[in-house]
Amino acid sequence: MDITEAHDDTFGIEVILEEGSKTAPCCPHGPTLLFEKVGKGGEKGRRFYACSACRDRKDCKFFQWEDDKVSEARLLAREAENKSKGPPYSQQEYCNRFRKFSSLRVDEKKFCQDCQTLLLPTEHEAHSSHGTSYVTAAQLRRPSVLLRPLHNKKSNAQYLFTDRSAHFLIDTLAGLGYKKVLCVGTPRLHELIKQRNLEPKNEPMKSLLLDIDFRYAQFYSRDEFCHYNMFNHHFFGGEASSGVLQTFLSDSDGEKVVMVADPPFGGLVKPLANSFSLMSQLWKKLQSPDSSNSDLSMMWIFPYFFEPRILECLPSLTMLDYQVDYDNHPLYKHGKTGRKQSPVRVFTNISPKDVVLPKEEGYRFCSACQRFVLSLNKHCAKCNVCPSKDGREWKHCSTCQKCVKPSWRHCQACGRCALPDHPCGQSEGKQGCFNCGSLEHKRKACHVKEQHRNNSQRLKTKGKGKNLSKRPTIKPKGKRKSGAARRAKKMAALSV
């Protein structure tokens, strides 16, 4: 099942967070998330556990109904599978291996391209049939260049910042006085910060990389890297790893801290926002009582069309106009124009007027909005905002009383602006509530949903202590009828 936050005409899937002390089962990516099927009309949905990081069952096959009773044999098999898919070494073992590797002669330093592993001399023979290459000191400082990027956009895609974008972020944060950068899923930013610290002219910055790709453990010490899943806020190294984060976020030395996160673009927004909120709560907890900072400063790198979902979860964030581009992405490149521009933006709780965007790259300061915007993002006096989200100049529609994309036209039949070839009559937002059908609210604000939840809770409480079968009765599935047969059956029912 492909887990998404959207829904179709029959059912939707909702992520259920904050379920008290209930322990979720684990897959190779850590604790799973609880999901609920939401039926049209508010029918009670059945809950299930699925992988937090992978939205496609082909990438992680874990699936378990919430009310399933799992046998001891199945639990042991699951534990063995999780262990087999984890790192071959512990973080401490990786550190010991790197120290040994660093002390080798130049002609002994080899990297296995097939296994993506730094090889010690005793391992050369075992990898003789694999593709190997010698490793230089410069390559060891740039592991994101040496390692082959992961490519699954729904779970662990590694689209790496270009040096242009990475240096912009570093220079901006350094200019704002940040001394510590928590790099969540941003390996290139982490390595460039370390490289920048080698230059005597620069004020040193500390950085900690949290990433689901355990291959980076080969190149960093325990206080520089933690194996981490940002979708469920899980540290694979346990308390030792979470303790590294606590030490890093500590305010004992008075240094300003900022988090920069670059999740896979196909990831679910709600679990990500929850993890970042937990990070911010931990940071607050570690601050001294007289600290004036209220929230952990953060930059969340994500496509602009996720803005409504992100602001719904974290309303303190603001989207900047800066276009982030990537080395290994076929489309998100610098210098493209029109609709080919990178849609990736920076969402931050840092004051937008303080983030100075480069004039030489086509940005200007809007005195009315008190922020930097793209030169084509013209201020609209009627909306009193620079409205463009995609880098093109938008136009104001007097009928809709808002600015819209330049390719859109006002449709009298639909009563809104849309593309000229849009399916007429399907007015935007007329679907209303997915539960009860009302046009006055959306599913999340529906009282019917809460009534079903409350009724379900009362039934559970009433049934406690009774000798009832815990496993639901499942109607055996018959052979699926063809589309023609289903239509014929429906027509026969209508004619009665």
Side-chain angles (χ1 to χ4, degrees):
M1 181 180 295
D2 189 16
I3 308 298
T4 66
E5 289 174 314
H7 57 258
D8 58 22
D9 291 335
T10 55
F11 73 91
I13 302 293
E14 183 178 359
V15 186
I16 308 297
L17 300 174
E18 298 179 359
E19 282 294 303
S21 58
K22 184 181 288 187
T23 302
C26 290
C27 71
H29 306 94
T32 53
L33 292 178
L34 182 62
F35 296 87
E36 182 179 44
K37 286 186 176 182
V38 182
K40 188 96 175 177
E43 296 89 349
K44 178 186 173 184
R46 194 176 181 188
R47 294 183 175 188
F48 61 91
Y49 291 102
C51 180
S52 62
C54 302
R55 287 173 54 190
D56 199 318
R57 291 280 299 279
K58 288 182 285 187
D59 302 316
C60 182
K61 63 182 181 180
F62 187 96
F63 182 91
Q64 178 185 316
W65 292 111
E66 183 189 22
D67 50 12
D68 269 356
K69 294 297 181 184
V70 184
S71 67
E72 189 68 26
R74 188 178 169 193
L75 286 173
L76 291 172
R78 185 182 288 171
E79 187 178 342
E81 181 187 7
N82 293 348
K83 190 173 181 180
S84 69
K85 293 184 178 180
Y89 305 102
S90 68
Q91 181 73 40
Q92 187 57 54
E93 288 172 330
Y94 272 127
C95 293
N96 295 338
R97 285 174 60 86
F98 187 72
R99 278 196 292 268
K100 292 178 182 177
F101 189 90
S102 301
S103 64
L104 296 175
R105 300 194 311 268
V106 175
D107 60 343
E108 291 181 315
K109 294 180 177 178
K110 281 190 173 183
F111 178 75
C112 179
Q113 302 286 353
D114 295 352
C115 302
Q116 296 286 285
T117 305
L118 297 174
L119 301 177
L120 297 175
T122 55
E123 300 164 344
H124 290 181
E125 182 63 30
H127 294 259
S128 58
S129 61
H130 297 179
T132 59
S133 59
Y134 291 105
V135 183
T136 64
Q139 286 176 311
L140 285 178
R141 290 194 292 267
R142 298 295 303 271
S144 70
V145 178
L146 182 64
L147 295 171
R148 184 170 54 246
L150 303 175
H151 61 275
N152 192 328
K153 67 180 181 180
K154 288 186 177 181
S155 57
N156 53 15
Q158 287 178 328
Y159 295 129
L160 302 162
F161 295 144
T162 57
D163 284 0
R164 180 193 74 88
S165 287
H167 282 301
F168 163 76
L169 292 171
I170 295 171
D171 293 342
T172 297
L173 296 175
L176 293 172
Y178 291 98
K179 303 298 183 192
K180 290 182 175 181
V181 183
L182 180 60
C183 300
V184 183
T186 56
R188 179 150 295 178
L189 191 70
H190 178 62
E191 66 189 33
L192 288 178
I193 289 174
K194 288 175 63 65
Q195 193 166 303
R196 180 182 182 275
N197 290 341
L198 299 175
E199 301 172 12
K201 64 177 182 178
N202 294 321
E203 189 99 13
M205 300 173 74
K206 298 175 185 176
S207 64
L208 171 63
L209 174 62
L210 307 183
D211 205 287
I212 199 169
D213 187 356
F214 61 76
R215 298 177 300 171
Y216 283 98
Q218 301 177 83
F219 303 90
Y220 299 119
S221 63
R222 295 185 66 177
D223 59 348
E224 293 176 322
F225 173 80
C226 292
H227 189 200
Y228 172 77
N229 182 350
M230 70 178 85
F231 290 99
N232 57 8
H233 194 54
H234 175 66
F235 289 86
F236 293 88
E239 291 184 3
S241 291
S242 58
V244 171
L245 175 64
Q246 289 191 34
T247 302
F248 186 83
L249 294 179
S250 174
D251 193 34
S252 58
D253 49 9
E255 294 174 321
K256 289 177 68 177
V257 185
V258 61
M259 181 190 78
V260 182
D262 185 28
F265 300 149
L268 298 173
V269 170
K270 190 175 177 182
L272 288 170
N274 183 62
S275 294
F276 300 156
S277 296
L278 291 173
M279 206 89 74
S280 185
Q281 290 169 25
L282 175 62
W283 179 82
K284 283 183 183 179
K285 182 181 175 182
L286 296 170
Q287 301 311 296
S288 57
D290 58 343
S291 176
S292 58
N293 297 318
S294 56
D295 291 303
L296 172 67
S297 297
M298 67 174 69
M299 287 186 166
W300 179 348
I301 317 295
F302 226 49
Y304 71 82
F305 38 81
F306 283 98
E307 183 185 21
R309 293 186 188 179
I310 291 176
L311 298 188
E312 181 183 0
C313 296
L314 298 175
S316 63
L317 300 188
T318 303
M319 188 179 80
L320 306 180
D321 268 24
Y322 184 76
Q323 297 178 339
V324 181
D325 52 299
Y326 295 83
D327 258 348
N328 56 326
H329 196 286
L331 299 176
Y332 301 168
K333 302 282 189 181
H334 178 58
K336 293 183 180 288
T337 58
R339 297 184 66 181
K340 295 182 179 180
Q341 299 174 81
S342 171
V344 186
R345 301 291 185 269
V346 178
F347 294 84
T348 183
N349 55 1
I350 300 172
S351 175
K353 67 179 181 181
D354 295 334
V355 184
V356 181
L357 305 186
K359 184 180 179 181
E360 62 274 13
E361 293 182 18
Y363 298 96
R364 63 177 180 83
F365 184 75
C366 175
S367 56
C369 294
Q370 284 293 291
R371 69 184 184 100
F372 287 84
V373 296
L374 276 162
S375 55
L376 286 178
N377 191 2
K378 306 294 185 183
H379 189 84
C380 175
K382 295 178 180 178
C383 296
N384 194 30
V385 71
C386 293
S388 177
K389 308 290 185 184
D390 59 10
R392 296 178 293 168
E393 183 177 354
W394 286 19
K395 60 182 182 180
H396 188 84
C397 174
S398 299
T399 308
C400 293
Q401 296 185 349
K402 66 177 183 178
C403 289
V404 297
K405 295 178 180 180
S407 55
W408 287 18
R409 303 288 182 270
H410 190 81
C411 174
Q412 297 296 338
C414 294
R416 66 182 179 98
C417 287
L419 288 168
D421 58 349
H422 73 283
C424 218
Q426 296 184 9
S427 299
E428 186 180 35
K430 292 299 181 187
Q431 292 83 2
C433 177
F434 187 67
N435 284 326
C436 65
S438 171
L439 299 178
E440 302 300 320
H441 61 265
K442 292 293 184 180
R443 172 170 61 86
K444 289 187 177 181
C446 182
H447 67 281
V448 175
K449 174 182 171 184
E450 289 304 317
Q451 286 177 357
H452 279 283
R453 287 255 174 95
N454 294 336
N455 292 338
S456 172
Q457 205 61 35
R458 280 197 294 270
L459 286 171
K460 283 182 180 178
T461 306
K462 190 176 179 180
K464 279 185 178 179
K466 293 185 179 181
N467 188 21
L468 297 174
S469 173
K470 297 290 184 179
R471 193 171 186 85
T473 303
I474 301 174
K475 184 178 179 181
K477 289 185 178 179
K479 186 176 179 182
R480 183 174 174 82
K481 295 179 180 179
S482 67
R486 292 197 302 274
R487 286 193 292 272
K489 185 178 179 180
K490 184 181 286 187
M491 292 301 295
L494 291 173
S495 62
V496 175

